[in-house]
Amino acid sequence: MAEVVIYTKTYCPFSQKCKEFLAEKGVEFSEKLVDDDPMTLAEMKTKSGERTDTPQVFINSHHIGSFDDLMALETDGKLHKLLN
């Protein structure tokens, strides 16, 4: 199974939807909260090309993007391949 890491904010509804979506698919992931954590926020920005919106999703260290980007992969039938 792929390594999935998501950078989230506790108050972000898209972060919550992303976690719920991945959990429903049975995908294990690690979560990195950027709330009040400038070091983790800086890490997320560096890895995501300076994006500050959350969530930011990474699969096997490859930047996927936000929840919308993740859902676009699902719609296109490409997410399954990335996760396996």
Side-chain angles (χ1 to χ4, degrees):
M1 199 72 173
E3 177 186 83
V4 178
V5 177
I6 57 174
Y7 290 81
T8 65
K9 292 179 182 172
T10 55
Y11 54 86
C12 173
F14 295 106
S15 293
Q16 186 61 37
K17 287 181 181 184
C18 185
K19 293 188 293 185
E20 290 171 0
F21 172 75
L22 291 172
E24 286 173 8
K25 289 189 72 68
V27 175
E28 293 183 24
F29 59 89
S30 59
E31 178 180 13
K32 294 188 175 193
L33 289 170
V34 299
D35 298 349
D36 302 320
D37 187 344
M39 296 296 286
T40 304
L41 178 60
E43 175 184 284
M44 179 189 82
K45 287 174 62 178
T46 298
K47 290 181 175 182
S48 69
E50 297 302 313
R51 289 186 64 176
T52 58
D53 56 321
T54 55
Q56 288 299 312
V57 180
F58 294 81
I59 299 176
N60 291 330
S61 299
H62 176 76
H63 182 229
I64 300 304
S66 68
F67 181 57
D68 289 341
D69 299 315
L70 184 71
M71 293 309 296
L73 288 172
E74 173 72 359
T75 299
D76 292 343
K78 298 177 180 176
L79 182 60
H80 181 74
K81 284 184 177 182
L82 290 173
L83 292 173
N84 293 308

